[in-house]
Amino acid sequence: MTIGLQNAASLSRIQENWLAAKERRLLNWLCAQMPPWVTPDRLTALGMIGAVMIFLGYVGSNLHSSWLLLAIAGYVVQWFGDSMDGSIARFRRIERPSYGYFIDHSCDGFATLLILAGIGLSPFVTMDVAMVALAGYLLLSIHAYLSARVLGEFKLSYLAAGPTELRLMLIGLTVMMMVLGSGPGYFGVLSGFDLFVGTIALILILLFVIQTLVTGRRLARSDRGND
């Protein structure tokens, strides 16, 4: 995607998830507490460390379910790094809009791959289902990036849920993995965890299709108006 410095700086961020206001107050408070050596790039790197922790936690759960505690801790670390890097740049007025946009969302894509690959390599969810979920997430991400280019709007939430709510859902799923274990379920080849992740995947894909149609119609009306 090509987006110039001016366009990246002037993007309208649309964030309507349930926790947005409370999360913003918490992030602003955290930004004010951070020492000077805590920089946006270091926070981005910390977020990636969190994603690696999540991956290792899920893969390690093949040995023992206690490894899932590492995955849960990884979600917290990943949230902190991913949420704070842009926040502290804006708080300190040291934004690098094009660089930050490119690096942040490149890392988001790789972190999502690590998380869902880890889930697929765990004994709880099949890799096929995890990869469909990855495809759904990346499709919706592509829609957000395309909308940023053609509309100047960067949508960060859908159905009143954003990345933070999704992390909380995955933490809840991970806790249930620890509680219920990976034994045979009631759904044949697919476990209850497969059905949960698969349902989320279908919702993401459906959202992509709906949002594509809505945005396409909006752009068509706008282009006709410019004729």
Side-chain angles (χ1 to χ4, degrees):
M1 169 178 174
T2 58
I3 184 164
L5 179 63
Q6 182 178 359
N7 287 337
S10 60
L11 279 178
S12 175
R13 295 164 61 88
I14 301 175
Q15 192 166 10
E16 300 171 334
N17 47 306
W18 291 325
L19 298 175
K22 292 180 180 178
E23 184 180 23
R24 176 48 48 201
R25 288 195 293 270
L26 174 60
L27 291 174
N28 287 340
W29 181 84
L30 288 171
C31 286
Q33 313 308 312
M34 292 297 106
W37 58 266
V38 177
T39 64
D41 284 347
R42 287 175 176 173
L43 287 165
T44 299
L46 180 64
M48 291 307 302
I49 291 172
V52 172
M53 291 170 61
I54 296 168
F55 176 81
L56 293 176
Y58 283 125
V59 173
S61 67
N62 287 281
L63 302 175
H64 195 277
S65 62
S66 61
W67 275 86
L68 293 172
L69 293 171
L70 178 62
I72 293 173
Y75 281 117
V76 177
V77 173
Q78 203 267 336
W79 167 83
F80 183 81
D82 184 51
S83 300
M84 282 289 290
D85 54 4
S87 296
I88 204 164
R90 289 186 290 271
F91 183 83
R92 294 176 179 173
R93 301 185 185 278
I94 55 173
E95 302 100 321
R96 291 172 290 174
S98 293
Y99 169 83
Y101 185 92
F102 176 77
I103 294 298
D104 186 45
H105 298 300
S106 296
C107 288
D108 285 346
F110 188 47
T112 305
L113 170 62
L114 286 173
I115 292 168
L116 285 165
I119 290 174
L121 290 170
S122 77
F124 304 95
V125 177
T126 63
M127 182 61 78
D128 290 347
V129 173
M131 289 300 99
V132 174
L134 175 64
Y137 186 91
L138 293 180
L139 279 174
L140 207 54
S141 296
I142 289 170
H143 174 269
Y145 304 147
L146 289 174
S147 296
R149 177 66 179 85
V150 299
L151 296 174
E153 299 174 354
F154 189 51
K155 193 170 178 62
L156 296 167
S157 60
Y158 297 88
L159 298 179
T164 298
E165 286 81 3
L166 186 57
R167 288 187 190 96
L168 290 174
M169 289 176 59
L170 290 172
I171 288 173
L173 175 69
T174 307
V175 171
M176 292 307 298
M177 290 174 176
M178 295 182 67
V179 172
L180 298 177
S182 59
Y186 299 105
F187 305 100
V189 176
L190 296 177
S191 69
F193 298 118
D194 282 316
L195 294 179
F196 180 84
V197 174
T199 299
I200 297 299
L202 292 177
I203 291 172
L204 292 173
I205 294 170
L206 183 60
L207 277 172
F208 167 76
V209 172
I210 293 171
Q211 291 296 319
T212 297
L213 293 174
V214 169
T215 303
R217 289 173 182 170
R218 179 179 172 184
L219 291 170
R221 288 194 300 268
S222 175
D223 286 347
R224 284 197 298 270
N226 292 330
D227 291 340

